[in-house]
């Protein structure tokens, strides 16, 4: 059949039942993405004769004679369509994986005069974004890129210069004035912006590799079983099948799918293939074939005999005598487990002071139990890896937050020399902690080494819901006591976390969750009892906030209830009891010297959020006696980097054309690090961001980096970039001095030259300028290295603070919660890129609102996931979310580059408790279980 794609005639013969998405990608239109393949997310949207359609459910044969338009057909870098330019100007994306489909839909809206932009919530219901919170997307479509007041909701009397100003609204795009230089404190826009909005920025699978094979996995139908026998003969005989793998082919080395700087942070309890199966969907066998369809068909031909075993699904029963043991075969020392004979992965029991005495001193005591749920990361790019041999070297192109840590563990598992393994990422389509795991790379490695052929393994959206680690569900008990003046006297915390069938991230999530959440408050008597236990449920893992969101939900709700009992304003209760510089940071003991107050803005955050709530936003309260209005707030604190070090090496080099090449190992997955690193380097080198080139996230091309987790991209990797750029600037001045004959050795008078955008100028003679190219040629001839390399180890950590506040209306007849006002005040230190930082905050709030109101990975009580597709899992849409007012405290951190702090994870943590407290204020009943869906709120009200 014949059709046109972006004006070019295409002849193709689609396979029976093939959808348009896969046909277009077969013709290397990689701007058409796969997010779900069920017509739910919109990442695959194209226009067919001007009408936007989900190409993943559009039959390919229906395209005959049609004109297909993709994002690349609307415009390309250097010649963008107006709608694409507005997405660049408004920073209307973060990871950007949803963006080509979003823009195709937006272009159709713009082209149809009958469609009103004020109807965007309905018109965009077929396009999901997990990163932004939609405000910037809405601004992109309507033609504005910042609030009308010209600032990031800066409160009257709290304006603080360039760092928080985002510039006025302009319908025609941003004027490139001094901000065009992209120096720190301004918002120059994403480095890859034009490629992202045209769909030409490559992601993991956006490359054509000749002879590529595909891998599919047979998953366990049972929650707990042992494989008695496997017969793969029929599968192996199927035409197109190249290899079938089972536990007989597995390396015998135990490992953890979790990745940390120290691999000893997580228990070694996992095998590539295991004869014992501990959750539904766990790998039984894998098939490598010419196509995914053949591989899946071969999986169905594998004969397996299982020996069923008793299973445990309730974490409260996991430690009971006689409970089925999930990892009873493990040596607790070898695997680093607390007690596998009690299904206990990790535990913490400790006391500071005496909680019993503190409760005796209290005049008011509040106790309660809170429950949090499983949450899927729902990054629109699913986990995927492509692997091949380059000579005798293994190359893995993977969707990961931690390529260097993946390289280390792959080498350990398969006994490979690191010099013979390259791991790199393209742009990664979201992560949120879900890609701090090793989930696809091991099977691809096994397949490539066995077949000698390039192999691809891509998760389906159902895989993401059923076999990918989720956020740890927790049961949290809190008892808190205070005297009549509001001073806290005791805090008692009990935590039970369900880590599922494997212990990846179990210790870290438990310890981190009970750390800053408790240390935030000055309480003379504290006790923590926490356990993380195995069950035969799907594994849990790392998720934005890393345990803090769950525990903060409980503690902040308990404090709100305490404030009510005492008759104290909740903001005042926090002011009275929160830690300040000079106070010890105490959980069950005083925290070590690595955690310091590098700056402090919590007091400002409390003031900013409280003032915004008092001012209001003129939102109209719904009419009717059934609507009740309430307000609520919550605080949070987080360390700016993970404990026990987070390493990064950066190099900056002068290259031809007066440009600079920055090499840094961290990954870009919507966190904005590439743009921030370019700004940091440009500022230190007295140049502009358009002179900065970056190589990142590649074990061959960049220096070692622990990875993009723990919000370390700015405060660790960014600090390494700043150090390297500063060192190169000094080297260039020394080189200019040597070039001019003023000296040939380090330590000469470097004050005679000054680095500028186009070269180095002699201070004593302003007309004398040596160009950067001239200096580079001289350096090459004289064997002078114009490269600087610096490292940062993250040994010292600072603290960041966030305060969230809501005004809500609750419908007592239906349980509906309507958000009238949403406010977040953030202590981000010096804000390197205000618009981008604001977007991180909005995105974190949006994800947290999904947790608070809608989202839950539901199990059937026997370990099977029932929310297996996106339409059954409520990711927030534009219609679901308010525009959150964002305020920045004025602080300058002594540790971060240019005074910056991290601000990607922390934004998520105070949202759910603030919303729960507002609902409590409205209806007079305390919600204690997430999500706070209408049915749960209705049951609270009506029993």
């Amino acid at each position: 059949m014949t059709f046109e794609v972006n004006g070019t005639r295409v002849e193709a013969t689609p396979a029976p039942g093939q959808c348009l998405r896969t046909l277009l990608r077969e013709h290397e239109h990689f701007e058409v993405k796969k997010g779900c393949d069920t017509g739910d997310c919109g990442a695959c949207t194209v226009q067919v004769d001007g009408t936007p359609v989900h190409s993943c459910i559009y039959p390919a044969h229906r395209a005959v004679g049609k004109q297909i338009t993709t994002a690349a057909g609307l415009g390309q870098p250097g010649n963008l369509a107006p709608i694409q330019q507005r997405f660049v100007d408004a920073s209307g994306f973060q990871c950007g994986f949803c963006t080509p489909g979003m823009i195709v839909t937006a272009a159709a809206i713009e082209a149809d005069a009958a469609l009103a932009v004020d109807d965007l919530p309905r018109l965009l219901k077929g396009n999901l974004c997990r990163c932004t919170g939609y405000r910037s997307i809405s601004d992109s479509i309507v033609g504005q890129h910042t609030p009308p007041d010209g600032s990031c909701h800066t409160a009257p009397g709290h304006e603080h210069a360039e760092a928080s100003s985002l510039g006025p609204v302009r319908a025609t795009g941003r004027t490139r004035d001094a901000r065009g230089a992209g120096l720190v404190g301004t918002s120059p826009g994403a480095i890859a912006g034009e490629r992202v909005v045209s769909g030409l920025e490559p992601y993991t699978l956006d490359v054509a590799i000749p002879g590529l094979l595909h891998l599919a996995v047979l998953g366990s139908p049972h929650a707990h079983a042992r494989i008695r026998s496997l017969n793969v003969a029929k599968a192996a005989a199927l035409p197109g099948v190249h290899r079938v793998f089972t536990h007989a082919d597995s390396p015998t080395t135990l490992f953890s799918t979790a990745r940390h700087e120290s691999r000893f942070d997580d228990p070694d309890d996992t095998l590539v293939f295991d004869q014992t199966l501990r959750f539904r969907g766990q790998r039984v066998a894998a098939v490598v074939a010419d196509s995914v369809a053949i591989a899946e068909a071969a999986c169905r031909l594998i004969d397996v005999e299982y020996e069923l075993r008793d299973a445990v699904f309730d974490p409260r029963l996991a430690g009971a005598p006689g409970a089925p043991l999930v990892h009873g075969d493990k040596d607790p020392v070898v695997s680093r487990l607390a007690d596998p004979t009690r299904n206990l992965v990790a535990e913490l029991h400790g006391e500071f002071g005496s909680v019993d005495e503190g409760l005796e001193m209290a005049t008011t005591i509040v106790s309660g139990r809170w429950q949090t749920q499983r949450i899927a990361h729902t990054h629109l790019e699913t986990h995927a890896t492509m692997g091949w041999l380059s000579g005798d070297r293994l190359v893995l192109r993977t969707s990961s937050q931690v390529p260097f840590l993946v390289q280390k563990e792959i080498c350990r598992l398969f006994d490979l020399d690191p010099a013979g393994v390259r791991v790199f990422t393209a742009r990664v389509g979201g992560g949120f902690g879900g890609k701090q795991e090793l989930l696809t790379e091991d099977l691809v490695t096994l397949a490539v080494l066995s077949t000698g052929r390039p192999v691809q393994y891509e998760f389906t959206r159902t895989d993401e819901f059923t076999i990918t680690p989720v956020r740890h569900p927790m049961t949290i008990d809190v008892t808190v006591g205070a005297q009549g003046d509001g001073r806290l006297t005791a805090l008692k915390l009990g935590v039970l976390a369900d880590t599922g069938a494997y212990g990846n991230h179990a210790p870290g999530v438990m310890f981190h969750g009970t750390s800053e959440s408790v240390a935030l408050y000055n309480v003379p008597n504290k006790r923590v009892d926490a356990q993380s236990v195995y069950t035969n449920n799907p594994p849990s893992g790392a998720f934005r906030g890393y345990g803090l969101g769950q525990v903060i939900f409980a503690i902040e709700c308990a404090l709100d209830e305490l404030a009510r009992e005492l008759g104290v304003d909740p903001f005042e209760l926090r002011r009275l009891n929160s830690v300040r510089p000079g106070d010890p940071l105490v959980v069950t003991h005083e925290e070590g010297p690595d955690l310091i107050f590098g700056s402090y803005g919590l007091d400002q955050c409390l003031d900013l959020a409280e003032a915004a709530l008092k001012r209001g936003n003129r939102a109209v309260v719904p009419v009717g006696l059934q609507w009740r209005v309430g307000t609520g707030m919550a605080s949070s604190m987080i360390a700016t980097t993970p404990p026990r070090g987070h390493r990064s090496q950066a190099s900056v080099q002068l290259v031809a054309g007066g440009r600079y090449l920055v090499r840094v190992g961290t990954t870009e997955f919507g966190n904005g690090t590439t743009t921030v690193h370019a700004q940091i380097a440009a500022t230190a080198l007295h140049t502009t961001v358009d002179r900065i080139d970056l190589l990142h996230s590649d074990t061959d091309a960049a220096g070692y980096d622990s990875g993009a987790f723990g919000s370390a991209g700015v405060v660790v990797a960014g600090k390494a970039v700043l150090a390297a750029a500063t060192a190169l600037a000094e080297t260039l001045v020394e080189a200019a001095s040597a070039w001019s004959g003023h000296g040939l050795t380090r330590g000469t008078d470097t004050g005679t030259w000054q680095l500028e955008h186009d070269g180095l100028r002699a201070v004593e003679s302003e007309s004398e300028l040596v160009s950067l190219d001239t200096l580079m040629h001289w350096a090459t001839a004289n064997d002078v290295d114009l490269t600087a390399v610096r490292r940062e180890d993250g040994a010292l950590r600072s603290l960041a603070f966030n305060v969230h506040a809501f005004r809500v209306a609750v419908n007592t007849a239906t349980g509906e919660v309507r958000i009238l006002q949403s406010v977040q005040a953030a202590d981000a230190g010096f804000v390197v890129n205000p618009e981008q930082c604001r977007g991180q905050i909005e995105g974190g709030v949006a994800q947290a609102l999904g947790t608070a109101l809608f989202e839950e990975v539901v199990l059937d009580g026997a370990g099977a996931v029932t929310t297996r597709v996106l339409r059954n899992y409520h990711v927030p849409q534009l219609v679901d979310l308010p525009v959150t007012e964002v305020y920045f405290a004025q602080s300058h951190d002594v540790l971060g580059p240019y005074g910056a702090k991290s601000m990607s994870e922390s934004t998520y943590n105070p949202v759910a408790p603030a919303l729960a407290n507002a609902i409590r204020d409205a209806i007079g009943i305390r919600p204690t279980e997430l999500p706070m869906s209408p049915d749960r709120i209705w049951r609270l009200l009506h029993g």
Side-chain angles (χ1 to χ4, degrees):
M1 73 180 199
T2 302
F3 57 100
E4 286 190 5
V5 181
N6 300 333
T8 300
R9 176 185 170 93
V10 175
E11 292 187 0
T13 304
Q18 185 172 19
C19 70
L20 181 59
R21 180 190 73 80
T22 57
L23 184 65
L24 290 171
R25 288 185 66 86
E26 285 176 2
H27 286 77
E28 299 187 18
H29 283 283
F30 297 125
E31 67 270 27
V32 183
K33 309 300 183 187
K34 186 205 88 169
C36 65
D37 272 356
T38 53
D40 295 323
C41 76
C44 67
T45 303
V46 300
Q47 290 182 15
V48 178
D49 288 345
T51 299
V53 302
H54 290 165
S55 64
C56 70
I57 57 172
Y58 188 92
H61 71 86
R62 288 177 55 187
V64 62
K66 305 287 188 182
Q67 292 186 348
I68 311 300
T69 305
T70 71
L74 296 174
Q76 301 204 0
N79 186 30
L80 296 179
I83 186 64
Q84 292 170 313
Q85 185 62 55
R86 295 205 300 272
F87 267 78
V88 173
D89 291 339
S91 296
F93 60 88
Q94 287 180 23
C95 86
F97 196 79
C98 73
T99 305
M102 190 78 71
I103 284 177
V104 167
T105 300
I109 295 171
E110 186 177 54
D112 190 339
L115 299 177
V117 292
D118 58 1
D119 197 20
L120 282 183
R122 181 183 66 85
L123 297 173
L124 284 180
K125 67 180 182 179
N127 291 84
L128 296 178
C129 176
R130 188 56 155 168
C131 298
T132 64
Y134 297 101
R135 189 274 314 162
S136 61
I137 291 172
S138 178
D139 281 359
S140 302
I141 295 172
V142 302
Q144 64 184 38
H145 61 261
T146 54
D149 64 2
S151 69
C152 188
H153 295 288
T154 304
H158 287 81
E159 295 85 355
H160 46 107
E162 195 75 8
S164 67
S165 175
L166 294 184
V169 172
R170 303 184 182 93
T172 56
R174 191 181 286 115
T175 299
R176 299 294 179 180
D177 49 20
R179 296 185 187 193
L183 304 184
V184 295
T186 67
S187 302
I191 298 298
E194 293 197 359
R195 299 192 301 275
V196 169
V197 299
S198 57
L200 300 181
E201 175 74 357
Y203 292 79
T204 307
L205 302 184
D206 294 346
V207 62
I209 297 180
L212 182 68
L213 302 180
H214 297 267
L215 187 148
V217 167
L218 173 66
S220 171
H222 306 295
H224 201 189
R226 184 170 177 81
I227 299 171
R228 280 182 176 168
S229 65
L230 269 168
N231 188 332
V232 302
K234 288 185 288 186
L238 188 69
V241 169
H242 292 259
R243 280 296 306 268
V244 181
F245 298 106
T246 71
H247 62 270
D249 306 293
S250 176
T252 58
T253 302
L254 287 167
F255 71 106
S256 173
T257 62
R259 300 288 88 227
H260 284 104
E261 173 59 31
S262 171
R263 62 171 313 279
F264 300 111
D265 284 356
D266 301 280
D268 286 331
D269 59 3
T270 304
L271 291 169
V272 174
F273 287 100
D274 200 327
Q275 193 170 358
T276 300
L277 308 167
R278 298 176 173 88
F279 71 98
R280 296 181 190 271
Q282 182 173 336
R283 302 168 179 173
V284 173
V287 176
V288 180
D290 289 335
S291 69
V292 174
I294 294 173
E296 290 176 344
C299 285
R300 292 191 290 270
L301 296 177
I302 298 172
D303 293 321
V304 189
E305 183 182 0
Y306 299 98
E307 174 190 307
L308 300 187
R309 295 184 168 182
D310 292 337
V312 59
F313 304 108
D314 188 336
R316 296 169 297 180
L317 302 178
L325 298 181
V326 182
H327 286 274
D329 59 328
K330 298 296 190 299
D331 183 318
V333 176
V334 172
S335 291
R336 298 182 298 282
L337 297 170
D339 187 352
T341 67
R342 294 191 293 133
N343 287 321
L344 189 58
V345 184
E347 62 181 336
L348 169 64
H349 303 283
E351 189 166 19
F352 184 84
S354 171
V355 166
D356 288 342
E357 292 180 6
L359 292 175
E360 288 180 6
M361 295 168 55
T363 59
T364 303
I365 298 173
V366 166
S367 293
R369 170 169 289 183
W370 285 263
Q371 181 69 50
T372 67
Q373 78 281 40
R374 290 175 180 82
I375 296 292
H377 300 82
T378 331
H379 34 71
L380 290 191
E381 182 193 40
T382 62
H383 287 82
T385 300
M386 306 175 89
W388 62 88
L389 294 176
S390 178
D392 59 354
R393 299 185 74 213
L394 172 68
V395 180
L396 297 177
R397 174 179 173 134
T398 189
S399 184
S400 175
Q401 297 172 226
V402 286
F404 287 84
L405 301 186
V406 167
Q407 181 204 41
K408 287 202 296 186
E409 197 66 359
I410 287 293
C411 291
R412 192 182 79 88
L413 283 176
F414 293 93
D415 195 23
L416 301 175
D417 182 347
V421 178
R422 177 192 178 196
V423 179
F424 73 102
T425 78
R427 191 177 182 94
V428 174
F432 316 115
K435 293 176 180 175
Q436 194 188 335
E437 305 270 359
L438 194 155
L439 299 176
T440 54
E441 297 88 351
D442 57 335
L443 286 185
V444 171
T445 296
L446 181 63
V448 170
L449 296 180
S450 299
T451 65
R453 295 275 298 275
V455 178
Q456 172 178 307
Y457 180 29
E458 178 185 19
F459 275 15
T460 65
R461 180 55 58 187
T462 295
D463 289 336
E464 293 290 344
F465 283 122
T466 57
I467 65 174
T468 302
V470 295
R471 190 176 88 143
H472 281 74
M474 293 187 187
T475 302
I476 307 114
D477 294 312
V478 179
T479 298
V480 60
Q483 295 180 329
D485 62 356
R487 297 272 180 189
L488 300 179
T489 61
L491 174 60
K492 184 179 181 181
L493 179 67
V495 174
L496 179 63
D498 180 0
T499 196
Y502 287 90
N504 44 301
H505 295 284
V509 167
M510 184 197 72
F511 282 107
H512 189 241
T514 58
S515 180
E516 292 100 297
S517 59
V518 175
L520 173 57
Y521 293 106
N522 268 323
V523 188
N525 305 289
K526 298 178 178 180
R527 180 166 183 84
V528 176
D529 293 285
Q531 292 185 325
S532 189
V533 298
Y534 285 127
T535 64
N536 292 110
N537 294 319
S540 302
F543 189 96
R544 195 176 204 157
Y546 209 65
L548 280 176
Q550 296 95 311
V551 180
I552 287 172
F553 170 62
I555 291 177
E556 291 296 309
C557 285
L559 289 176
D560 185 75
E561 201 62 34
L562 181 69
R564 292 179 180 280
E565 294 283 340
L566 291 167
V568 175
D569 181 86
F571 284 97
E572 278 305 312
L573 188 73
R574 271 69 172 191
R575 290 188 182 98
L576 189 63
N577 291 288
S578 298
V579 292
R580 294 176 173 273
D583 291 338
L585 296 165
V586 176
V587 183
T588 58
H589 60 273
E590 189 170 337
E591 293 293 291
D594 65 312
L595 191 59
I596 68 170
F597 288 94
S599 60
Y600 187 79
L602 176 58
D603 51 350
Q604 296 178 57
C605 289
L606 289 166
D607 291 347
L608 289 166
E610 183 179 31
L613 208 56
K614 287 181 178 178
R615 284 195 306 273
N617 62 350
R618 299 181 182 177
V620 177
V621 177
V623 176
L625 296 177
Q626 73 273 28
W627 290 97
R628 308 280 177 80
V629 176
T631 60
M633 58 80 61
S635 297
S636 68
M637 177 177 77
I638 193 171
T640 54
T641 55
R644 296 180 299 283
H646 192 104
R647 296 192 291 133
S648 184
Q649 174 184 300
S651 68
V652 184
Q653 178 184 10
L654 178 65
V655 295
R659 304 184 66 80
Y660 298 92
L661 177 61
V662 176
R663 299 173 184 263
V664 60
T666 194
T667 302
E668 172 64 65
F669 63 108
N671 49 356
T673 52
T674 50
T675 302
V676 166
H677 292 165
Q679 290 182 263
I680 289 171
T683 302
L685 292 163
H686 304 279
T687 187
T688 54
V689 290
D690 59 357
R691 292 278 188 94
I692 306 295
D693 299 311
L694 291 106
L695 288 174
H696 61 95
S697 198
D698 187 333
T699 60
D700 270 14
Y704 179 86
D705 187 278
S706 298
F709 62 94
S711 298
V714 173
V715 295
V716 178
K719 194 172 180 181
V721 169
L722 176 57
T726 301
L728 179 59
E730 295 171 354
T731 298
L732 292 174
V733 170
E734 292 172 351
S737 180
W739 169 84
S740 66
H742 293 166
L744 296 173
T745 61
R746 288 185 178 275
T748 57
D749 181 12
T750 58
T752 56
W753 292 89
Q754 180 174 301
L755 180 61
E756 296 182 359
H757 179 263
D758 294 316
L760 289 102
R761 187 174 302 279
V763 174
E764 296 178 355
S765 174
E766 292 189 4
S767 62
E768 185 177 1
L769 177 75
V770 53
S771 72
L772 293 173
D773 270 348
T774 297
L775 194 61
M776 191 186 75
H777 293 146
W778 172 86
T780 301
N782 289 274
D783 198 26
V784 175
D785 187 10
L786 298 183
T787 303
V789 180
R790 291 294 184 271
R791 297 171 178 83
E792 172 60 29
D793 60 9
L796 283 178
R797 304 180 295 148
S798 187
L799 293 161
F801 301 90
N802 298 74
V803 174
H804 205 96
F806 285 106
R807 175 175 287 104
V808 303
V810 181
N811 188 323
T812 57
T814 65
E816 177 191 355
V817 176
R818 191 171 298 180
I819 298 172
L820 304 178
Q821 186 178 12
S822 174
V823 177
Q824 185 158 132
D827 175 24
F830 176 78
V831 184
V832 175
N833 186 313
E835 196 163 23
Q836 187 171 279
C837 189
R838 177 193 182 191
Q840 287 293 311
I841 293 170
E842 291 172 328
V845 170
Q847 199 167 44
L849 284 172
T851 300
L853 290 174
F854 311 119
E855 297 180 44
E856 183 172 12
V857 175
V858 179
L859 305 185
D860 67 352
V865 175
T866 62
T867 44
R868 301 169 63 87
V869 293
L870 273 173
R871 69 189 59 183
N872 296 333
Y873 183 88
H874 189 159
V875 173
Q877 298 174 301
L878 174 59
V879 71
D880 296 316
L881 297 174
V883 173
T884 293
E885 302 170 36
V886 176
Y887 302 92
F888 291 127
Q890 299 180 63
S891 62
H892 187 282
D893 202 75
V894 299
L895 297 181
Y898 292 110
K901 297 186 188 182
S902 56
M903 197 48 56
S904 291
E905 289 195 80
S906 62
T907 62
Y908 175 93
N909 295 327
V911 175
L915 187 60
N917 293 339
I919 293 170
R920 162 68 175 88
D921 189 50
I923 66 174
I925 305 171
R926 167 73 54 190
T928 60
E929 186 177 3
L930 296 179
M932 296 175 288
S933 52
D935 58 314
R936 284 187 172 137
I937 299 301
W938 186 90
R939 285 197 296 270
L940 282 178
L941 288 162
H942 301 283

